[in-house]
Amino acid sequence: MDQILATLIASRPDLKPIPGTIPLTPLAAVLPPLIYYLALILLPPFPNQPNQKLISIFRSVLAFIAGSLFFRLPLKYHVPFSVGLTYQLALVGIYGGCRVLDAFFISPYLFGHIPRRVKYHQEPRSETPGVWRSRALSNSYFSLHFLQPRKAAVTEIATTDEGLPESWKDRASWALELELAMRGAGFTWTSADVRHTKKTWTPTAWDRVHSILLHVLPVLGVSLATIRYIYVGDLKIEDGVSRPFDDLSFAKQILLTAALGGFLMTAFSLGHSTFAIILAPLKPHPLSYFPPLYTTRVWDLTSVRSFWSYGWHRLFSRLFLVYGVWPGEWIERKITGKSAHERADVGKVLGGFVSSAFVHSFAAYTVVGGRVGDALGEAEFFAGCGIAVVAEEIVKRVMLRFRRRHKQKSEEDEAKRSERWYDGIIGRLWWISVLLYNGRHFARGWVKAGLVREMAGA
């Protein structure tokens, strides 16, 4: 047993954690979410409770400790046997700390808001089998693994609870649901972290198993095989040191970037569907509610903005909203003099991408030995995507004005005036080119960190 444990905790030779960090201990991993959970139980007000102020102070102290422990995780600890888990530890730490700060201090004190449960029920929606099957295939939620419905089409109705939990049993259940809301348990202040639509279907556990076996695992396998092929053939050096990403030819840089993207999409999808299957017996409890991770198939996307809005997961959407989108909108309104009712799209887009750049660069910082320069690949990637979104919106508006001025007499309909047959082709070529070319910054950082070597099994 001691030998097995020693093997499990043996440090990877290519792991480069922040200097001074130590291997993660079970206590350090458990304490932050546990204290966060205890604080959540005390978050709803206690009606007619004379000690409400003392309870509020105690709750805030617990929240402060939980948030501090979350933020401390990646700065104090690393996972010695895995570069990928050390990277994820940083994401958990920064996400958890920001979530605690939002739930206990930003939302209650700045907005006077405590999240309420959202319950979902589904009503049958009339669709002819042929039409519904066609629409399901063309608007598949599960864009990569084509989850197909076996039941009728439905309309999903969301109902928000009027009050907050009062009994200890209800508080305990409410707190557990809220702590796990990142994957879509559904609370009003999360604004549905995982985007979904009212028009949906009711996938069964077998539907999800079918999609995993026939679509997710094959794509995941091809992605990993491609990563291994490129690493072993072009990046591996006999003594275990990897060659720089820039030693690859441009074609292989693009291929490796595409393989990493495919791996990430399918890995997220696999985890999401697996937990949905495991918790399916809990229906209709909110913990069994797993809205789709991706709401549009990859080849139905026609812009960089549509990819990030509908083609990628939204597990961190609340974090980017609170710490990126809102500050970005505020800054734009301050600079331009816009009112609170006017759109601030530039600040919204850039704020969201800047916050994402910081989060992912911090995670990279924890696996490149604490060297800031080696952790900037993620920041360059997300900054480039933000600039691309702003640029494509400018081009889109200019082209719309041009077409309206030069419309044909027969083109009275707004859709006919603004769309051309080649728009979708250009849009697809554009967003794919931006993500693959710009994504090389991400891939370069992952090669430096040893993540690609670990995925290659080397």
Side-chain angles (χ1 to χ4, degrees):
M1 178 62 69
D2 292 339
Q3 186 176 0
I4 294 175
L5 290 175
T7 302
L8 288 176
I9 64 173
S11 180
R12 284 187 61 92
D14 55 345
L15 175 63
K16 299 179 284 292
I18 299 175
T21 58
I22 62 176
L24 179 67
T25 63
L27 184 63
V30 169
L31 273 182
L34 178 60
I35 297 175
Y36 176 34
Y37 175 70
L38 295 176
L40 281 174
I41 294 176
L42 304 177
L43 182 57
F46 288 79
N48 305 318
Q49 174 57 255
N51 296 322
Q52 175 66 41
K53 189 171 183 179
L54 288 177
I55 294 174
S56 178
I57 293 173
F58 181 59
R59 177 193 70 209
S60 296
V61 170
L62 286 177
F64 177 80
I65 293 173
S68 300
L69 290 178
F70 269 119
F71 285 129
R72 181 174 177 262
L73 269 179
L75 298 174
K76 179 69 176 177
Y77 302 98
H78 64 267
V79 181
F81 55 86
S82 174
V83 181
L85 291 180
T86 300
Y87 186 97
Q88 291 181 47
L89 181 67
L91 294 179
V92 169
I94 196 168
Y95 179 89
C98 288
R99 191 81 158 185
V100 171
L101 184 62
D102 182 14
F104 289 93
F105 302 102
I106 295 176
S107 288
Y109 294 115
L110 295 185
F111 302 103
H113 183 53
I114 295 175
R116 300 174 187 272
R117 275 195 185 100
V118 177
K119 296 179 180 178
Y120 299 92
H121 68 277
Q122 297 166 332
E123 297 179 354
R125 181 159 50 90
S126 59
E127 294 270 8
T128 60
V131 172
W132 168 239
R133 181 173 177 80
S134 173
R135 291 182 181 176
L137 288 172
S138 63
N139 298 290
S140 172
Y141 278 166
F142 298 78
S143 57
L144 210 53
H145 45 108
F146 318 115
L147 179 63
Q148 298 178 18
R150 292 178 176 271
K151 295 186 179 180
V154 296
T155 299
E156 193 170 69
I157 309 298
T159 305
T160 304
D161 280 1
E162 292 294 329
L164 291 164
E166 295 184 10
S167 69
W168 287 107
K169 181 179 179 181
D170 197 22
R171 285 172 178 271
S173 175
W174 177 91
L176 182 63
E177 295 164 30
L178 183 55
E179 184 161 11
L180 299 178
M182 184 177 96
R183 51 178 184 67
F187 276 79
T188 50
W189 72 248
T190 65
S191 62
D193 281 351
V194 184
R195 184 184 293 247
H196 61 286
T197 176
K198 291 182 179 180
K199 292 186 177 182
T200 181
W201 61 79
T202 54
T204 64
W206 170 245
D207 289 330
R208 297 182 186 273
V209 171
H210 179 271
S211 73
I212 289 173
L213 295 178
L214 268 69
H215 302 288
V216 175
L217 291 181
V219 176
L220 185 63
V222 170
S223 298
L224 286 173
T226 303
I227 292 169
R228 179 171 176 79
Y229 165 74
I230 294 176
Y231 181 81
V232 173
D234 298 275
L235 294 175
K236 184 179 180 181
I237 301 177
E238 289 303 322
D239 61 1
V241 179
S242 299
R243 290 189 177 91
F245 173 80
D246 292 310
D247 281 3
L248 294 173
S249 66
F250 180 77
K252 287 192 174 179
Q253 289 181 14
I254 295 296
L255 183 59
L256 179 58
T257 302
L260 290 173
F263 167 81
L264 288 174
M265 287 196 78
T266 49
F268 280 125
S269 181
L270 177 62
H272 185 267
S273 292
T274 300
F275 277 100
I277 293 168
I278 294 172
L279 296 179
L282 295 180
K283 288 182 178 179
H285 193 279
L287 288 181
S288 69
Y289 178 71
F290 279 79
L293 210 55
Y294 312 120
T295 58
T296 304
R297 292 195 301 183
V298 170
W299 43 82
D300 289 332
L301 304 170
T302 56
S303 66
V304 178
R305 186 167 196 162
S306 66
F307 172 82
W308 289 114
S309 296
Y310 305 104
W312 194 246
H313 73 81
R314 295 173 55 80
L315 299 177
F316 292 104
S317 65
R318 176 71 187 184
L319 187 156
F320 300 151
L321 175 69
V322 174
Y323 300 97
V325 172
W326 288 349
E329 290 178 329
W330 182 84
I331 291 172
E332 181 182 347
R333 291 190 176 106
K334 283 294 182 182
I335 293 174
T336 61
K338 290 182 177 179
S339 68
H341 303 291
E342 292 181 278
R343 295 172 63 91
D345 280 344
V346 174
K348 173 183 178 180
V349 169
L350 295 182
F353 280 108
V354 166
S355 60
S356 181
F358 174 79
V359 169
H360 289 87
S361 292
F362 176 75
Y365 171 81
T366 65
V367 290
V368 292
R371 296 187 298 273
V372 175
D374 289 342
L376 295 180
E378 281 85 345
E380 293 172 348
F381 170 70
F382 286 107
C385 287
I387 293 171
V389 170
V390 173
E392 71 185 13
E393 286 298 313
I394 293 173
V395 171
K396 179 181 176 181
R397 294 179 185 183
V398 169
M399 290 304 299
L400 284 176
R401 292 194 190 99
F402 175 82
R403 289 174 180 178
R404 286 166 183 161
R405 286 199 302 267
H406 297 82
K407 68 177 181 178
Q408 298 177 9
K409 291 183 179 179
S410 61
E411 294 180 334
E412 296 299 331
D413 182 67
E414 178 67 23
K416 291 182 179 178
R417 284 203 304 268
S418 60
E419 295 181 4
R420 296 294 185 270
W421 64 268
Y422 49 80
D423 287 352
I425 298 174
I426 295 175
R428 289 177 179 89
L429 290 174
W430 160 251
W431 79 259
I432 292 173
S433 299
V434 168
L435 261 69
L436 289 180
Y437 184 82
N438 204 32
R440 295 178 309 135
H441 297 303
F442 222 106
R444 183 179 293 109
W446 280 31
V447 170
K448 287 180 181 178
L451 283 162
V452 170
R453 179 186 177 190
E454 184 169 279
M455 283 188 279

